[in-house]
């Protein structure tokens, strides 16, 4: 995405609202917005936050150049005074965010932005574009990698991704979540994600025989030779020819057959047969790689069937999060400032899940001191002091369900990213985010990470936030 496309990657109503604020002389008023996700995809128990790096890059480079202004002028919606204001605008926002790689849950603020109405409003679409997709794919990839139970997972979905950006960002997201490598070369160059690849069926078809194709590839890549064995007949042609090349060329020349890949058929049955055939010929170290529309549920079933598989190549079901291809991230105003006072705001809806949590808030995560496992999160108002000795947790949807905790420590999940428009956060590299993700996911109970019917992780309210929300609901609703 080039610079102009990034700057105009904004729902047009952000501009029409901004124009109205400007003409009403409200454009210098300050508001607070929360970005959060309403539902966890795939009926899962958690999400993994990602996409902040792209948003930081966007904010750092934010400005309206002549091309952008010329386009907005051509829409005939805005006068020259407003366009001149945009042209001269410098971001002076404050941003707080959860770190990339953090396990997060529904309805808790992931990113909070404080800024003037126009500045905070114009950032909405780009923030959601950056966070929604990356968080979705990181979460999906973690589920797939976890299902593999320590076996390697290769991300190979670029050709099925919904565009170039999706392929590159999706590969990074998959690696952070536990995939071992990607087939997306561009993600390797941009984010240092390890890249890997072997051969396609076309390579084999374009040789006179399968054996000739295998031999030629082995001669060129003797130390990295993985052969695709299902072009014609996996058990009666592909595997026997792979063994023949290993014994007649690779081993005599001091090399080993690295692996075979099976891309069709009954993967459990074929992998078991393949393992016996390879082992019988002294190729116990030859790895078996499988692909073909895999997802976490198929991988889980293959392992339950004792399939002899060392690693999985996963494409379309990962890169598109095919089972739940959209994540419901939203950006809602939660407060504004008047005469230096923060005034909480609430949106009320007939759909309970669309009622927002008002006020300038923070997200606190409690950890058990003995196990370092996460106990629960609470949403609290920003100025609240949280006790370090004892705290009463309660379910906001069923406040009689309570738990008093002791022997804990806690952290505030959001950290400052921008202060007065200046970036105060050092963006970690891909490896650092991956390690942070590993460390953070280790604090989440295994029951929460289950593929099926996960345990609910509680996101509670502080008493002050609970009272504030209910008071605002009463103030803004009428008896029918």
């Amino acid at each position: 995405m080039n610079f102009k496309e990034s700057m105009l990657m904004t729902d047009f109503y952000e501009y029409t609202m901004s124009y109205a604020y400007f003409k009403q002389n409200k454009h210098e008023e300050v508001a607070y917005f929360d970005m959060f996700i309403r539902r966890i995809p795939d009926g899962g128990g958690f999400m993994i936050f990602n996409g902040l790096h792209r948003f930081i890059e966007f904010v750092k480079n934010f400005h309206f150049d002549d091309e952008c202004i010329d386009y907005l002028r051509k829409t005939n919606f805005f006068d020259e005074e407003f366009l001149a204001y945009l042209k001269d605008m410098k971001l002076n926002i404050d941003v707080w965010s959860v770190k990339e790689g953090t396990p997060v849950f529904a309805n808790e603020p992931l990113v909070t932005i404080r800024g003037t109405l126009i500045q905070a409003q114009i950032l909405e679409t780009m923030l959601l574009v950056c966070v929604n997709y990356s968080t979705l794919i990181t979460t999906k990839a973690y589920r797939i990698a976890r299902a593999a139970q320590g076996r390697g997972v290769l991300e190979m979905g670029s050709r099925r991704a919904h565009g170039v950006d999706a392929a590159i960002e999706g590969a990074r997201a998959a690696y952070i979540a536990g995939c071992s490598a990607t087939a997306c070369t561009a993600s390797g160059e941009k984010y240092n994600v390890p890249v890997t690849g072997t051969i396609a069926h076309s390579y084999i078809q374009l040789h006179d025989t399968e054996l000739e194709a295998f031999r030629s590839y082995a001669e060129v890549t003797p130390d990295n030779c993985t052969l695709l064995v299902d072009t014609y007949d996996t058990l009666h042609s592909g595997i026997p020819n792979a063994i023949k090349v290993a014994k007649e060329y690779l081993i005599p020349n001091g090399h080993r057959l690295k692996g075979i890949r099976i891309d069709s058929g009954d993967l459990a049955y074929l992998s078991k047969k393949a393992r016996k055939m390879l082992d019988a010929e002294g190729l116990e170290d030859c790895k078996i790689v499988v692909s073909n529309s895999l997802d976490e549920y198929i991988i889980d079933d293959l392992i339950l069937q004792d399939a002899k598989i060392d690693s999985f190549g996963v494409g379309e079901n990962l890169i598109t999060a095919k089972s739940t291809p959209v994540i419901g991230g939203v950006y809602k105003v939660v407060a504004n400032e008047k005469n230096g006072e923060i005034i909480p705001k609430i949106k009320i809806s007939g759909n309970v899940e669309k009622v927002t949590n008002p006020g300038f808030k923070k997200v606190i995560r409690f950890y058990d001191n003995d196990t370092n496992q996460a106990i629960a999160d609470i949403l609290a108002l920003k100025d609240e002091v949280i006790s370090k000795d004892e705290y009463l947790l309660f379910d906001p949807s069923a406040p009689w369900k309570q738990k008093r905790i002791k022997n804990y420590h806690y952290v505030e999940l959001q950290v400052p990213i921008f202060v007065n428009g200046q970036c105060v956060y050092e963006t970690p590299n891909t490896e650092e985010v991956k390690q942070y993700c590993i460390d953070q996911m280790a604090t989440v109970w295994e029951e929460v990470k289950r593929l099926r019917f996960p345990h609910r992780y509680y996101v509670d309210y502080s008493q002050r936030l609970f009272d504030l929300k209910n008071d605002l609901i009463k103030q803004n609703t009428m008896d029918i």
Side-chain angles (χ1 to χ4, degrees):
M1 185 184 298
N2 63 39
F3 170 75
K4 183 173 72 172
E5 289 172 338
S6 295
M7 285 302 301
L8 297 179
M9 187 61 217
T10 303
D11 289 300
F12 198 65
Y13 78 171
E14 313 288 7
Y15 289 114
T16 57
M17 284 189 290
S18 295
Y19 186 51
Y21 289 140
F22 183 78
K23 299 307 288 184
Q24 295 165 18
N25 201 33
K26 294 170 67 71
H27 54 290
E28 295 301 321
E29 294 183 13
V30 172
Y32 297 75
F33 289 79
D34 282 346
M35 185 269 157
F36 57 94
I37 295 170
R38 289 193 175 117
R39 291 185 183 179
I40 298 174
D42 287 314
F46 65 93
M47 298 171 285
I48 300 177
F49 177 72
N50 197 3
L52 177 64
H53 66 290
R54 289 289 304 278
F55 184 66
I56 290 173
E57 180 184 2
F58 172 73
V59 172
K60 283 181 175 179
N61 294 287
F62 182 97
H63 71 278
F64 288 94
D65 65 10
D66 290 337
E67 281 190 88
C68 294
I69 297 299
D70 287 344
Y71 171 75
L72 293 174
R73 180 180 291 113
K74 290 174 184 176
T75 67
N76 295 318
F77 273 82
F78 315 110
D79 64 21
E80 289 299 319
E81 185 183 16
F82 177 68
L83 295 176
Y85 174 81
L86 292 183
K87 183 70 165 58
D88 293 337
M89 188 168 69
K90 306 292 184 185
L91 287 186
N92 190 34
I93 59 170
D94 299 321
V95 178
W96 299 264
S97 178
V98 171
K99 295 179 182 180
E100 289 186 314
T102 302
V104 294
F105 303 92
N107 297 308
E108 52 188 16
L110 306 178
V111 181
T112 298
I113 294 180
R114 174 192 178 275
T116 59
L117 294 183
I118 290 179
Q119 293 188 11
Q121 200 75 66
I122 284 177
L123 295 174
E124 175 179 4
T125 306
M126 194 61 181
L127 173 61
L128 293 175
V129 166
C130 290
V131 171
N132 281 343
Y133 175 73
S134 289
T135 299
L136 176 66
I137 301 305
T138 310
T139 305
K140 184 68 169 179
Y142 185 90
R143 288 167 58 84
I144 291 170
R146 186 171 185 273
Q149 297 183 26
R151 297 162 180 82
V153 177
L154 165 66
E155 186 286 310
M156 49 187 293
S158 295
R159 65 190 64 191
R160 305 285 170 78
H162 296 158
V164 173
D165 272 358
I168 297 171
E169 294 301 318
R172 176 188 181 272
Y175 181 64
I176 286 168
C179 291
S180 54
T182 181
C184 181
T185 310
S187 197
E189 187 276 332
K190 184 172 184 178
Y191 293 121
N192 291 317
V193 176
V195 295
T196 189
T198 56
I199 54 177
H201 295 104
S202 59
Y203 182 87
I204 296 162
Q205 292 170 273
L206 291 170
H207 288 77
D208 291 338
T209 67
E210 184 179 57
L211 180 60
E212 179 190 334
F214 286 178
R215 188 184 297 276
S216 68
Y217 189 71
E219 289 172 353
V220 174
T221 60
D223 294 315
N224 191 35
C225 186
T226 296
L227 300 174
L228 181 60
V229 296
D230 72 324
T231 304
Y232 302 117
D233 187 321
T234 302
L235 296 180
H236 299 100
S237 174
I239 296 174
N241 281 329
I243 291 171
K244 192 170 186 177
V245 168
K247 298 189 75 172
E248 293 183 357
Y249 177 77
L250 290 170
I251 293 174
N253 287 283
H255 308 288
R256 301 290 293 180
L257 179 62
K258 183 177 181 180
I260 61 167
R261 179 163 73 95
I262 306 170
D263 189 49
S264 59
D266 187 322
L267 300 178
Y269 172 78
L270 291 174
S271 68
K272 292 175 186 178
K273 288 290 187 180
R275 187 73 273 158
K276 289 182 179 179
M277 294 169 70
L278 292 166
D279 289 355
E281 298 295 338
L283 297 173
E284 295 90 349
D285 57 333
C286 179
K287 304 299 184 184
I288 298 175
V289 185
V290 301
S291 50
N292 190 22
S293 297
L294 301 175
D295 63 15
E296 63 268 45
Y297 299 107
I298 295 174
I299 291 172
D300 188 48
D301 280 345
L302 287 169
I303 291 174
L304 284 172
Q305 295 169 63
D306 196 29
K308 304 304 180 183
I309 296 168
D310 297 292
S311 59
F312 302 90
V314 187
E316 62 190 54
N317 290 319
L318 191 164
I319 204 70
T320 66
K322 187 176 179 181
S323 54
T324 307
V326 172
I327 199 167
V330 294
Y331 183 80
K332 299 297 180 182
V333 66
V334 294
N336 67 341
E337 288 184 9
K338 286 189 176 180
N339 301 318
E341 182 182 359
I342 300 175
I343 310 298
K345 298 291 181 180
I346 191 169
K347 175 183 181 293
I348 299 173
S349 171
N351 296 332
V352 174
E353 69 174 12
K354 289 193 172 184
V355 178
T356 58
N357 292 314
F360 182 31
K361 299 178 293 297
K362 56 188 173 184
V363 186
I364 299 295
R365 179 160 296 166
F366 292 99
Y367 296 89
D368 184 277
N369 278 339
D370 294 330
T371 65
N372 201 39
Q373 296 293 293
I375 301 170
D377 292 359
I378 64 162
L379 308 187
L381 296 176
K382 194 71 172 179
D383 63 353
E384 287 193 61
V385 177
I386 307 300
S387 171
K388 295 182 179 180
D389 302 315
E390 182 176 320
Y391 198 87
L392 179 65
L393 299 170
F394 65 92
D395 183 349
S397 60
W400 60 90
K401 296 173 65 176
Q402 301 181 354
K403 179 179 181 179
R404 189 172 297 278
I405 60 172
K406 299 179 181 180
N407 190 35
Y408 60 80
H409 61 279
Y410 63 81
V411 297
E412 188 171 336
L413 292 188
Q414 287 187 337
V415 298
I417 307 298
F418 287 91
V419 176
N420 296 325
Q422 299 299 310
C423 187
V424 296
Y425 179 74
E426 185 175 345
T427 304
N429 62 39
T430 306
E431 290 294 338
E432 290 169 335
V433 176
K434 183 182 179 76
Q435 186 59 53
Y436 176 79
C437 182
I438 291 170
D439 295 341
Q440 291 300 303
M441 288 305 298
T443 70
V444 178
W445 290 100
E446 291 299 311
E447 292 82 352
V448 175
K449 295 184 280 191
R450 281 197 299 257
L451 289 180
R452 300 170 180 87
F453 306 108
H455 174 73
R456 176 189 170 193
Y457 181 89
Y458 281 93
V459 178
D460 297 339
Y461 301 166
S462 70
Q463 187 67 55
R464 277 184 60 193
L465 177 60
F466 181 78
D467 292 342
L468 172 64
K469 183 173 184 177
N470 283 289
D471 288 346
L472 289 177
I473 290 172
K474 291 176 183 178
Q475 291 173 24
N476 288 279
T477 55
M478 299 174 60
D479 292 334
I480 297 176

